[in-house]
Amino acid sequence: MTTDLVRHYADGAESTRLARTPHGRLEFLRTQEILRRFLTAPATVLDVGGGTGVHAEWLARDGHAVHLVDVVPAHVDAAAVLPGVTALLGDARRLPVADGSVDAVLVLGPLYHLTDPADRARALAEARRVLRPGGVLAAAGISRYLSVVEAGANGALDADLVPSVEAVVATGRYDGHVGFTAAHWHTADELRAEVRAAGLADVEVYGVEGPGWAALDAAGADEFPRLVPAALRCARLVERDPLLVNASAHFLALGRAPSA
């Protein structure tokens, strides 16, 4: 898996992923917004699978001490030059970090790349291990409904694509049919259960983009400044609504390590 990820991210596109499309820009704004609710005081933050440091950079500007771990050497090199950020090579399933040593762990990329449930469990157990009592875990997942919403909105959902879309909705096994690499896509309930099983308490799952993200892409980048205020309000209104949370493209599960 590690070799496949290094190859997948070799083109450097990860550094601009959250700026290339309207829905990516919405994802970035909402991820900031949700994380800032939980990281209200300067904290030691471990950014696991943090890529080139897209989130580590603003977290460091906010005053947090950010340590990034990523499996892709080029990502580590890019993140290491960011002010206030340290970076090292490592695997989410075997973190090179001491027990109980950080205030917050972000697992914003690894889970969907870990297609084996046992590997996801190991990554979440590692995140729990390195958290101090009362520390915050933020774990991201991709919604199983991403491609049905996207392909249904942009006209790509033809008869040939239907079996792949049906399969990912039913099983979470994503085969790469709308780009990206093979991955596991979650439901909100599934992600919540995996985080709880790792020993985190007070787990809540938030829909990041809300149901309006595909409309932003359809309208185009030029319309983003006009439409994004309403899209943000929409996402906030239904971010934990059990009937609409799965319409987001991404989830954030937030939980805490039990206090000692």
Side-chain angles (χ1 to χ4, degrees):
M1 184 200 73
T2 299
T3 301
D4 291 341
L5 288 183
V6 172
R7 187 182 302 114
H8 175 75
Y9 289 112
D11 63 1
E14 178 64 13
S15 62
T16 61
R17 183 182 71 81
L18 295 177
R20 285 197 306 271
T21 64
H23 88 256
R25 293 164 68 183
L26 177 63
E27 179 193 346
F28 179 71
L29 291 173
R30 281 282 292 158
T31 300
Q32 284 185 307
E33 179 180 288
I34 295 168
L35 290 179
R36 280 173 170 152
R37 295 180 202 169
F38 293 85
L39 300 175
T40 56
T44 302
V45 178
L46 182 66
D47 188 2
V48 181
T52 57
V54 171
H55 292 298
E57 185 173 21
W58 67 262
L59 286 162
R61 286 199 304 265
D62 278 4
H64 304 293
V66 185
H67 308 289
L68 182 146
V69 175
D70 199 275
V71 74
V72 179
H75 289 175
V76 173
D77 292 343
V81 302
L82 296 173
V85 177
T86 62
L88 69 162
L89 200 64
D91 190 309
R93 297 164 295 182
R94 295 177 295 276
L95 292 174
V97 179
D99 294 1
S101 59
V102 299
D103 301 308
V105 179
L106 312 183
V107 187
L108 303 187
L111 292 187
Y112 41 82
H113 288 303
L114 297 172
T115 57
D116 185 334
D119 283 334
R120 295 196 298 276
R122 278 192 286 271
L124 290 169
E126 278 289 272
R128 167 69 182 85
R129 176 183 66 79
V130 303
L131 273 175
R132 295 179 179 131
V136 174
L137 168 70
I142 297 175
S143 172
R144 290 189 186 187
Y145 296 87
L146 184 154
S147 61
V148 72
V149 173
E150 181 177 52
N154 66 18
L157 188 56
D158 59 19
D160 292 337
L161 191 58
V162 165
S164 289
V165 173
E166 286 180 329
V168 72
V169 170
T171 68
R173 291 192 295 273
Y174 171 68
D175 62 7
H177 55 263
V178 290
F180 200 48
T181 185
H184 180 79
W185 290 3
H186 285 82
T187 65
D189 287 345
E190 179 189 24
L191 182 60
R192 182 184 296 107
E194 289 184 355
V195 174
R196 283 177 174 167
L200 281 297
D202 304 320
V203 179
E204 295 284 356
V205 176
Y206 297 80
V208 176
E209 301 91 346
W213 62 273
L216 291 183
D217 282 349
D222 290 345
E223 288 294 301
F224 183 80
R226 181 178 70 85
L227 297 177
V228 71
L232 287 167
R233 293 186 191 101
C234 178
R236 293 170 192 139
L237 280 169
V238 297
E239 63 184 11
R240 290 192 290 164
D241 187 314
L243 299 179
L244 276 175
V245 65
N246 287 291
S248 283
H250 294 81
F251 307 123
L252 268 183
L254 277 294
R256 288 191 180 276
S259 298

